Amino acid sequence: MLDSAIQVFLEEKSKTLEEWLPGASKRAGQLTFTSHPPKFSHPNAKITLMQVEGDQLADGYLRSGNVKVEMDVVGNAASLDVYKFLSLVLHDGKTILDHLEENSDYIQSQLSSTSTNFEDISKGLLEIRKNDSSQVKTHGGIKQVYFPLDHDQKDYHLLSVLTPSGILYELKSRINAMRFSEKAKVSRDARRNNQPAEDYSEIFGLTSIGFGGTKPQNISVLNNQNGGVAYLLPSLPPILETRKLNPPRSSFFDTGYTSPHQYKTQFDDLHRTLRLDVNNVDIRRRIKGLVKSVYFELIDRSWQIRYLEAGWSDSDRYQLLPKHQKHWLDQKYREQPMENTEWLDDIKELFVRWFIRAYEKALDKQAVKLTDYEFMELKHWLDEIEEGLK
């Protein structure tokens, strides 16, 4: 007894298996599986048909192998009924093509008859799997790209750009599910009524593109199944905003963040306190507080840079920035701790030396000459708040 799926198919054709199958097995060779149908690129393109599957890798690329899709089919549009027959799912969940490739007893019982030889039928139907890539050829109508192989660009590959139709229509399927599924409809209605919406997603700037005009079947099976319409995602240059923060190119302590004039008020207060002919606990506490206020403000400015996207210092623009400052300011390097804390000692010494230079520049000739003793005190007060530098 014929499988129910085969019976329904033959009823639609108004044929018996003996009437339809012999001719179908001869027409199967007019169709070919391919992953990159050439007619998406040019309607008259005749090239070696590629069957690219690729290995799945966690490399972050949208490519063949990383997206599991079925092969497309191209060839004589009048023979697409043969592909439909081979795609029929039988009672065990496998297609006729699966059974033919396994040469199962079940498919032999289904396709054998007194007027047909199963081996001939099977061989003919499996012609759809042919893959002759021994002589690869392209077509002048397909867009081509020169791809350099070295920095001198003396050697290159000439690439023919083809469309991975399986990925193209998998994208369409996922977008349709996102936009038109029952779950999406419920979420959209909830959002419209100002109610919480779960898993609501939308893609703006979506464009449709057609292939094949009124005869999408002439392009490929997948194209025909999708009415010849695919989606194009927006592909626009980014809108760049002027960066409000300019990371240091050679040293944080030689930038606008550390201009002495920005701390003139604190340095004036410190200078007046240093000039007092008094030395008691309150005066020393005030001096310490004024110094720390400058430290805190400078540390806050450093954190503005540290909030930038990790890895900003990898650009050639910042190749002169010392390693210990990259480790301090770029979060990428903070996630990879150094084996020791020498970088922190270097930063603290730069802090103190900057403080002394900035004070002297802000007060010019009026500045009090700071000795090694004051240097050690400044260093000690910075040690007390070093957590802000880590």
Side-chain angles (χ1 to χ4, degrees), residues 118-297:
F118 172 77
E119 291 184 0
D120 293 338
I121 293 295
S122 176
K123 182 178 179 180
L125 292 176
L126 287 175
E127 277 291 299
I128 197 173
R129 280 293 192 192
K130 62 183 178 295
N131 180 21
D132 182 16
S133 56
S134 56
Q135 294 183 341
V136 179
K137 66 177 182 178
T138 184
H139 186 272
I142 294 177
K143 292 180 180 179
Q144 296 177 327
V145 175
Y146 287 94
F147 189 87
L149 298 180
D150 53 34
H151 295 298
D152 296 332
Q153 297 186 356
K154 294 180 180 179
D155 296 318
Y156 59 86
H157 280 315
L158 184 57
L159 305 181
S160 295
V161 182
L162 300 173
T163 302
S165 57
I167 296 178
L168 182 71
Y169 285 116
E170 175 65 20
L171 171 67
K172 180 180 180 181
S173 175
R174 295 187 187 187
I175 290 176
N176 283 342
M178 178 190 299
R179 300 174 69 196
F180 306 123
S181 67
E182 282 301 315
K183 188 175 182 180
K185 182 178 181 299
V186 171
S187 296
R188 191 175 287 109
D189 290 342
R191 187 169 181 267
R192 190 180 296 114
N193 296 322
N194 294 321
Q195 297 176 350
E198 295 183 2
D199 299 326
Y200 178 79
S201 300
E202 187 59 272
I203 295 179
F204 299 99
L206 203 61
T207 301
S208 296
I209 182 172
F211 297 97
T214 59
K215 297 181 179 180
Q217 67 274 17
N218 289 341
I219 304 298
S220 80
V221 166
L222 278 179
N223 189 63
N224 187 48
Q225 292 174 351
N226 285 273
V229 178
Y231 289 144
L232 290 179
L233 296 175
S235 181
L236 303 173
I239 299 175
L240 303 178
E241 296 182 0
T242 302
R243 179 183 274 173
K244 297 179 180 178
L245 295 174
N246 291 313
R249 298 179 65 175
S250 57
S251 175
F252 173 79
F253 299 95
D254 294 328
T255 62
Y257 302 106
T258 57
S259 172
H261 300 291
Q262 297 191 50
Y263 308 89
K264 186 69 165 57
T265 301
Q266 294 99 312
F267 285 138
D268 284 342
D269 288 346
L270 175 63
H271 179 69
R272 285 192 293 269
T273 306
L274 290 173
R275 297 290 295 174
L276 291 175
D277 191 19
V278 179
N279 184 5
N280 56 35
V281 173
D282 291 335
I283 293 299
R284 291 194 295 273
R285 184 180 294 120
R286 177 171 175 75
I287 292 173
K288 181 178 180 180
L290 289 169
V291 170
K292 283 189 173 182
S293 70
V294 176
Y295 284 162
F296 282 130
E297 187 168 339

Side-chain angles (χ1 to χ4, degrees), residues 32 126 244 276 283 307 317 341 390:
T32 306
L126 287 175
K244 297 179 180 178
L276 291 175
I283 293 299
Y307 282 132
R317 180 182 178 87
T341 59
K390 295 181 178 179

Side-chain angles (χ1 to χ4, degrees), residues 77-146:
S79 297
L80 291 182
D81 58 330
V82 180
Y83 171 71
K84 182 178 180 181
F85 175 76
L86 293 173
S87 300
L88 293 178
V89 179
L90 304 185
H91 76 286
D92 58 356
K94 295 181 180 181
T95 65
I96 290 178
L97 184 58
D98 292 334
H99 277 282
L100 286 171
E101 291 179 324
E102 295 173 4
N103 196 29
S104 67
D105 293 337
Y106 184 73
I107 201 63
Q108 293 185 38
S109 66
Q110 291 292 304
L111 303 188
S112 295
S113 68
T114 55
S115 61
T116 59
N117 179 281
F118 172 77
E119 291 184 0
D120 293 338
I121 293 295
S122 176
K123 182 178 179 180
L125 292 176
L126 287 175
E127 277 291 299
I128 197 173
R129 280 293 192 192
K130 62 183 178 295
N131 180 21
D132 182 16
S133 56
S134 56
Q135 294 183 341
V136 179
K137 66 177 182 178
T138 184
H139 186 272
I142 294 177
K143 292 180 180 179
Q144 296 177 327
V145 175
Y146 287 94

